[in-house]
Amino acid sequence: KSSMRSIIFSNHVAKDVRRLGATIDVDKKRVKFLGNLLLDIWDCGGQDAFTESYLTSQKSYVFSEVGVLIYVFDIESTDFSSAENPPPGHSDSDLQTFDAVIAALAEYSPKARIFALVHKIDLVSGSFRPAVIHDKSQAIRAHSGPFVSNIGIDATSIWDESLYRAWGSIVNSLMPNLDIIEIGLRDLQAVTEAEEVVLFEQSTFLTVTRVGTPVGDDNPNHDRYERLSNIIKTFKNSLSSFTNSNSSNQFDTFTIKTRIFNLLIQRLTHNTFVLAIFPPGEAELQCAQLNILQAGEEFDRIESAIAGDDEDTKGQEKENENNDLQ
């Protein structure tokens, strides 16, 4: 869990996370996403003593007001079983612990979303991987209780783009008013004549959302968004090592020009980058850059409006709570 969080939110590369120590109890971190969306991430240590504490004395503290719960299953675990009596020397099985977590979440945060990550999938041979993922997913879903229709399951590894696919889905589930952003992207797509427009968050380079034409939608590379996130994040880390800078602002524009298409990655707002694929030609490229630059002002207003709506909602909820108390 700590390795995932460090790669996505702290710009570590996979080979560096081996230096991270085990999480002791609950490690709390507040991160900003899209500038104004604050995410409180609680990384809970997975050792048996801590898990027992979460499910007993700290249960209301850990499981109250949860927006998303991410449960990580280790593909190497020998305790992935629903047996009522675990083998001698073993603690409760992974699925037994998951059952207890589901019960606690249903009690204190019944509207939460759940994401189960079957991690270290790179350790499974490619030919066996689909069957292993299917079997694990079926078992997890069978133990999801009241959340069975609202659980996302992904196989992940810190060594490939699967991590960005999973965390992109997780963060998107917390995004308010995503449809407003998509309307703005469709206007930008139309004016640039782009086959596809993808919006990335500038710090993590997770995919926020995308819009496309039927041509763009027919792209057979369905994992292209997470692959792009991984490639660009690696590129940014390389720039940091060469410039001795940890700044997230190493570049503002990246272009690829070919005889059949133009690819443009350009800063849209202070918090986002946009990727557009559109027809070839220098004039088309210059026009697209100008249109994206001008669109940035409108997207700044959209982000501010979304942040304002979010604050208004929180304020109204707080006012309602006070009225209920009175």
Side-chain angles (χ1 to χ4, degrees):
K1 304 183 303 300
S2 301
S3 300
M4 296 181 186
R5 190 191 69 188
S6 297
I7 290 173
I8 298 296
F9 295 104
S10 299
N11 292 323
H12 285 118
V13 294
K15 63 183 179 63
D16 291 337
V17 299
R18 295 172 179 173
R19 306 170 188 170
L20 298 175
T23 301
I24 305 300
D25 202 10
V26 179
D27 183 12
K28 301 176 185 177
K29 183 179 180 65
R30 171 168 285 189
V31 299
K32 284 187 175 183
F33 192 80
L34 287 180
N36 298 310
L37 180 62
L38 292 176
L39 303 178
D40 287 317
I41 300 176
W42 291 21
D43 183 1
C44 301
Q47 295 89 333
D48 291 341
F50 295 139
T51 302
E52 182 179 354
S53 174
Y54 307 148
L55 295 170
T56 53
S57 60
Q58 296 190 74
K59 185 162 68 168
S60 63
Y61 173 68
V62 171
F63 292 99
S64 294
E65 299 182 9
V66 175
V68 169
L69 182 139
I70 305 163
Y71 198 97
V72 181
F73 290 91
D74 190 332
I75 199 74
E76 290 186 301
S77 174
T78 58
D79 293 329
F80 191 89
S81 161
S82 58
E84 294 184 2
N85 298 310
H90 288 250
S91 61
D92 289 349
S93 75
D94 293 346
L95 289 176
Q96 284 179 303
T97 303
F98 185 59
D99 287 338
V101 168
I102 289 294
L105 192 67
E107 179 180 357
Y108 291 99
S109 298
K111 295 182 179 179
R113 284 209 61 186
I114 298 181
F115 288 87
L117 305 183
V118 181
H119 196 47
K120 301 181 183 177
I121 195 63
D122 54 290
L123 299 178
V124 178
S125 174
S127 58
F128 296 103
R129 194 172 297 176
V132 170
I133 294 173
H134 177 267
D135 291 345
K136 300 280 188 184
S137 298
Q138 290 290 93
I140 293 168
R141 204 172 295 279
H143 285 258
S144 298
F147 301 97
V148 65
S149 62
N150 201 27
I151 184 171
I153 302 174
D154 265 303
T156 58
S157 167
I158 64 171
W159 299 104
D160 61 27
E161 63 275 359
S162 59
L163 204 59
Y164 291 91
R165 178 186 62 246
W167 277 90
S169 299
I170 291 166
V171 173
N172 280 358
S173 71
L174 296 169
M175 284 286 297
N177 301 321
L178 198 58
D179 55 329
I180 298 176
I181 296 177
E182 290 176 350
I183 291 172
L185 281 185
R186 290 202 178 279
D187 291 339
L188 181 60
Q189 174 201 349
V191 76
T192 57
E193 299 182 350
E195 290 182 2
E196 190 164 27
V197 176
V198 186
L199 188 68
F200 296 100
E201 198 274 335
Q202 68 91 18
S203 178
T204 62
F205 253 90
L206 291 175
T207 302
V208 176
T209 188
R210 51 82 60 186
V211 296
T213 64
V215 174
D217 294 340
D218 285 341
N219 192 314
N221 299 301
H222 300 296
D223 62 346
R224 59 191 180 279
Y225 310 118
E226 50 265 30
R227 289 171 64 184
L228 283 167
S229 294
N230 194 15
I231 291 169
I232 298 170
K233 193 75 173 288
T234 302
F235 175 62
K236 288 181 63 181
N237 287 333
S238 298
L239 289 178
S240 296
S241 64
F242 282 109
T243 59
N244 295 319
S245 169
N246 291 321
S247 169
S248 60
N249 302 318
Q250 288 104 359
F251 73 96
D252 286 312
T253 305
F254 180 92
T255 60
I256 296 178
K257 296 183 283 186
T258 75
R259 290 179 295 177
I260 58 175
F261 69 88
N262 279 320
L263 181 147
L264 172 64
I265 302 174
Q266 182 171 318
R267 181 178 293 279
L268 181 63
T269 69
H270 181 72
N271 304 308
T272 58
F273 276 81
V274 67
L275 180 147
I277 308 291
F278 50 92
E282 186 63 28
E284 286 78 3
L285 176 61
Q286 296 296 329
C287 287
Q289 289 178 312
L290 181 59
N291 283 317
I292 290 172
L293 185 63
Q294 293 178 333
E297 298 178 3
E298 178 61 27
F299 276 89
D300 276 327
R301 285 192 288 270
I302 291 174
E303 286 183 13
S304 298
I306 289 175
D309 289 345
D310 195 34
E311 290 301 320
D312 291 343
T313 300
K314 290 178 181 177
Q316 185 62 48
E317 289 175 352
K318 186 66 176 178
E319 183 179 341
N320 292 341
E321 288 175 5
N322 292 336
N323 290 339
D324 290 342
L325 289 174
Q326 293 171 356

